[in-house]
Amino acid sequence: MAEYMLAQDASPATNMIMSICRFLMALLALPIATLSAASAQSFVENDYTTTEVLSEADSFAPGETLWFAIRQELRPGWHVFWTNPGDAGMPLRLEWSLPAGYEAGPVLHPAPEYIPVGPLASYAHEGAPVFLTSVTAPKTATAGETVDLRIHATWQTCEEICVPEEGGFAFSLPVAASSSPNTAYEDIFAAARKSLPDSYDADATFSVKGGKYVLDLAAPTDFDSEGAFFFAGSEGLIDAPGAQDMKLSDNRLQIMLLPGWIENYHGPSVDGVLTYNAEDAPRALSFAAKTAGPIHKPQSPARVAPIGAPGLPLLLVFAFLGGVILNIMPCVFPIVFIKAASFLQSAREQPNIVRRDGLLYTAGVLATFLLLGGLLLALRAGGEQFGWGFHLQSPAVVALSAYVLLLVGLNLSGVFSVGENLAGTGEAFASKKGGAGAFFTGALAVVVAAPCIGPLLSAPMGAALLLPPLGGMAIFATLGFGLAAPYLLLSFAPRLGTVLPKPGAWMATFKQVLAFPVFAAAAYFIWVLAQQTSGGALGAALAGAVFIAFSAWSFERSKGEGVRALILRAVAALAAVLALAPLTRMDAKSMAPAQSGEQYGALTAIPFSEAALNDYREQDVPVFIDFTAAWCVTCQFDKLTVLSDKSVADAFENTGAVFMVADWTVRDPEITAALQRFGASGVPLYVYYPASGEPSVLALPLTKNSVLTALLGSSS
């Protein structure tokens, strides 16, 4: 007002001067205003993410809400986490520093993605996710004042490793009577809102049925169960990687969910997001399912013990005899035979060294069995769904096993040699390398024997996971002692070796002959890998096998001194690295490879699921289940002989029984839980459900008569 009065009383010259001054002040204020607008944006660059914060408008307005976008760009292959991160992880968290009266809203996430990480699962975002959040100004905010805001943001980004990251952001925005949108960011905010799950006013309930949770809701009109997944909003309520069985009937969708680690849930509803592929585009629906009261984690279904399950003493006997039998398996026999034959030649001259080798071999066997068994028991005690052979569900372990067997075969065939050879003297046994070789030969025998769990071992291996830890470890130790017993006996009583043919030139030829079953075992592991992975991973493994062979060939020719030897050793090392590097990025298929319509001779199989089994049971249809895996040698033998027999297929056709295959080649928690119910820790397992009555477990080894008796005997 004073300025106005002064202007009214001023002369024309004075008014001109004041006009020029106002113009100059406006020019000076322009960079300051631009700088103020720029301060409403902030950018932070970390090792694996870049994060930018954008405001939707250029100012606050009294009583109104201003939206902000947190835009991140991730390195390829890396991800950040949803509100429920899945098995582990830390989602984006914002700590605001706001003036009094200003209130920050929650962080709104895009629809989550299911990202398998080995046996676990992450609920996360990849690429360039944009998160939305808001700040509401108080109604008492005064136009013209400046609001200073601070954000401290923390999040976690993961690939094969997880890295915590953070960023600090600062804002200085004015308060205006009304705000104007930042038109430069309209597309970013529009895309961010489109990526949010759509609100779905679903008639939905969440309850417990049997050993699972049941989510029941009105099905969306465009719903397709192919690729559909429900992401629970509460961390730990459901098993993150667990299989989800979906059943659509009369416009109602039922989703069977495996319980997570939360024991009790007291919320009035369970919120979450259902994602699926509609005809036009992927959909994500956000809704809440009502609960009738507190949700208590269901106990695991009661385990059904195999018929005639033996006590611990008999289980230990079976474990010992089963371990002894493992020595004649094609994978194990060449390794053990060559080792035994080599020390028998020097037993009379070096009896103490031979006994030491026998003990070290036994120690290698026992240590490896106890390590695998202890790890398995510890994982299961922590709630993980694993069984014996769990390490072979990893494609990297399977490929590495194939490489090791390839090297053993190349060594037997004479392509390269390490340590003592078959015709050597006892000097090699006296060296440190000889002792270490005995120990690691024992460890190798266990690794290659893992796929060969046979008839006598099914009961003790299943019981080992149901008994208290001490009893379980006793079974693993007894099994290992059985595997090591023949070698240990020969080392302390070398005269028993006189029943073997006398050493001679024939042994060099026989050693080369033994390379071929080892090569066959390596090829078998490659076939297993083909069931577990994509074509690209299989191609990398085959290329790796070539590099391994080239590495062994180069290593053999590097023996000696000089520059040539050093170059060849470097070449051998480089080839080994090129072979092993792809293993770190090999992932199993997300689902087991059993396919509907798989043929067992004239017998057609359907894939196992609890939902399908329950449907057949309700219709009084008999069901035969083959719990199998590609890496299980016994399973494949039974498939090619007993289950592919035409008379067996005829029996299925005559009785109307359904043949189900529960393929455990890759990790499947639903199959693991089913195995547990029958007291089994691994495969093979054969279970028959008659049209009515309780299921029965078929005895091992599987025979055609036992299958026909189960099918025809129950139908008569």
Side-chain angles (χ1 to χ4, degrees):
M1 186 68 179
E3 179 183 324
Y4 173 77
M5 293 176 64
L6 179 62
Q8 293 294 318
D9 296 336
S11 65
T14 302
N15 288 336
M16 182 177 295
I17 293 173
M18 291 181 65
S19 298
I20 294 172
C21 288
R22 283 195 294 268
F23 178 73
L24 292 174
M25 290 177 65
L27 289 177
L28 292 172
L30 185 60
I32 298 174
T34 305
L35 180 61
S36 176
S39 69
Q41 306 172 30
S42 190
F43 180 86
V44 172
E45 184 170 3
N46 294 96
D47 291 335
Y48 303 100
T49 59
T50 58
T51 306
E52 184 178 16
V53 181
L54 308 172
S55 62
E56 190 171 20
D58 58 6
S59 61
F60 283 101
E64 295 185 3
T65 298
L66 176 60
W67 285 91
F68 296 92
I70 296 94
R71 183 170 62 174
Q72 293 190 314
E73 291 191 9
L74 315 178
R75 282 193 180 185
W78 291 75
H79 58 266
V80 292
F81 293 94
W82 190 53
T83 52
N84 171 8
D87 280 312
M90 184 182 74
L92 176 66
R93 293 191 175 99
L94 304 180
E95 294 181 8
W96 288 86
S97 176
L98 299 169
Y102 286 79
E103 295 183 358
V107 178
L108 304 183
H109 287 244
E113 302 173 57
Y114 180 95
I115 301 176
V117 185
L120 308 177
S122 292
Y123 298 168
H125 314 283
E126 293 181 312
V130 179
F131 308 91
L132 295 178
T133 189
S134 62
V135 174
T136 302
K139 293 181 179 179
T140 57
T142 303
E145 67 182 8
T146 299
V147 182
D148 294 327
L149 306 97
R150 300 287 185 273
I151 303 176
H152 179 242
T154 57
W155 63 91
Q156 191 176 51
T157 179
C158 295
E159 190 203 32
E160 295 178 355
I161 60 172
C162 289
V163 179
E165 294 186 331
E166 62 181 350
F169 307 89
F171 301 87
S172 294
L173 294 175
V175 178
S178 61
S179 60
S180 299
N182 284 325
T183 56
Y185 307 140
E186 285 180 350
D187 291 344
I188 294 174
F189 279 88
R193 290 190 171 98
K194 188 175 181 180
S195 70
L196 298 176
D198 296 325
S199 180
Y200 181 51
D201 187 15
D203 172 20
T205 60
F206 190 91
S207 59
V208 179
K209 182 179 180 181
K212 295 184 178 182
Y213 293 137
V214 179
L215 175 61
D216 183 280
L217 69 153
T221 55
D222 59 352
F223 179 76
D224 187 345
S225 61
E226 184 71 26
F229 196 86
F230 174 71
F231 297 87
S234 297
E235 183 176 358
L237 180 61
I238 67 171
D239 183 39
Q244 299 185 359
D245 291 326
M246 300 193 182
K247 183 178 179 181
L248 189 61
S249 177
D250 296 329
N251 296 322
R252 299 293 298 181
L253 173 63
Q254 274 198 351
I255 307 177
M256 308 294 289
L257 304 164
L258 296 177
W261 49 265
I262 289 180
E263 294 292 336
N264 299 290
Y265 181 82
H266 297 282
S269 62
V270 173
D271 64 332
V273 172
L274 176 66
T275 61
Y276 61 94
N277 293 319
E279 292 183 0
D280 52 348
R283 293 289 308 277
L285 302 179
S286 174
F287 61 91
K290 297 178 182 178
T291 59
I295 297 292
H296 304 290
K297 179 180 177 180
Q299 299 299 316
S300 299
R303 295 185 175 102
V304 181
I307 297 174
L312 180 59
L314 189 56
L315 288 170
L316 294 176
V317 172
F318 284 170
F320 178 81
L321 294 177
V324 172
I325 292 173
L326 285 178
N327 284 281
I328 63 173
M329 299 304 292
C331 305
V332 183
F333 175 73
I335 298 170
V336 176
F337 179 86
I338 293 300
K339 194 73 179 174
S342 63
F343 83 76
L344 283 175
Q345 295 183 72
S346 56
R348 294 181 181 178
E349 294 81 4
Q350 300 281 346
N352 293 334
I353 300 302
V354 169
R355 286 193 288 270
R356 182 206 67 180
D357 257 35
L359 292 172
L360 285 172
Y361 173 83
T362 303
V365 170
L366 291 176
T368 309
F369 257 119
L370 292 176
L371 176 63
L372 288 174
L375 178 61
L376 178 56
L377 293 177
L379 289 171
R380 289 174 66 90
E384 294 295 339
Q385 299 294 313
F386 287 113
W388 182 253
F390 70 99
H391 56 297
L392 293 174
Q393 293 174 329
S394 165
V397 173
V398 171
L400 187 60
S401 300
Y403 291 170
V404 170
L405 287 168
L406 176 61
L407 284 173
V408 171
L410 293 172
N411 179 255
L412 292 173
S413 61
V415 171
F416 79 109
S417 61
V418 291
E420 70 272 13
N421 55 40
L422 192 60
T425 64
E427 294 177 359
F429 288 94
S431 66
K432 183 178 180 181
K433 180 182 291 186
F439 181 89
F440 287 108
T441 299
L444 176 62
V446 175
V447 171
V448 298
C452 303
I453 297 301
L456 290 177
L457 294 178
S458 295
M461 294 302 288
L465 302 183
L466 304 179
L467 292 171
L470 186 60
M473 294 303 287
I475 289 178
F476 285 119
T478 304
L479 172 58
F481 187 69
L483 177 61
Y487 189 106
L488 185 64
L489 183 62
L490 284 174
S491 65
F492 278 84
R495 290 185 179 180
L496 294 176
T498 57
V499 299
L500 298 174
K502 293 182 179 181
W506 67 272
M507 294 190 70
T509 301
F510 187 59
K511 176 183 175 183
Q512 294 176 350
V513 170
L514 288 177
F516 291 96
V518 176
F519 286 140
Y524 177 72
F525 275 101
I526 292 293
W527 175 79
V528 171
L529 187 68
Q531 315 305 307
Q532 294 178 322
T533 60
S534 64
L538 178 61
L542 292 171
V546 175
F547 280 121
I548 285 290
F550 180 73
S551 177
W553 178 83
S554 301
F555 171 80
E556 181 65 22
R557 277 145 187 79
S558 72
K559 294 179 178 178
E561 304 294 336
V563 176
R564 177 180 176 276
L566 291 175
I567 293 175
L568 285 171
R569 287 170 196 164
V571 169
L574 177 61
V577 170
L578 292 174
L580 298 176
L583 301 189
T584 61
R585 304 187 65 85
M586 278 190 181
D587 293 322
K589 295 176 182 176
S590 58
M591 298 297 291
Q595 300 293 327
S596 181
E598 182 179 354
Q599 294 298 127
Y600 280 44
L603 190 60
T604 302
I606 65 172
F608 167 84
S609 76
E610 288 287 355
L613 175 61
N614 292 335
D615 286 344
Y616 285 120
R617 295 282 287 160
E618 291 174 0
Q619 300 170 34
D620 295 329
V621 175
V623 179
F624 184 99
I625 306 177
D626 170 21
F627 290 88
T628 184
W631 41 261
C632 169
V633 176
T634 307
C635 303
Q636 300 308 313
F637 179 81
D638 290 344
K639 174 181 178 178
L640 293 174
T641 55
V642 176
L643 296 175
S644 294
D645 190 277
K646 188 177 184 305
S647 61
V648 170
D650 291 341
F652 272 91
E653 184 177 356
N654 294 334
T655 59
V658 171
F659 180 60
M660 275 190 174
V661 173
D663 196 324
W664 208 43
T665 301
V666 298
R667 183 176 181 242
D668 188 320
E670 186 176 35
I671 295 177
T672 308
L675 287 167
Q676 289 178 15
R677 291 202 300 273
F678 294 98
S681 70
V683 292
L685 179 73
Y686 304 101
V687 179
Y688 179 69
Y689 285 84
S692 60
E694 296 301 313
S696 59
V697 177
L698 277 67
L700 297 176
L702 187 70
T703 64
K704 182 173 69 174
N705 286 337
S706 66
V707 177
L708 295 177
T709 299
L711 293 169
L712 302 176
S714 63
S715 64
S716 59

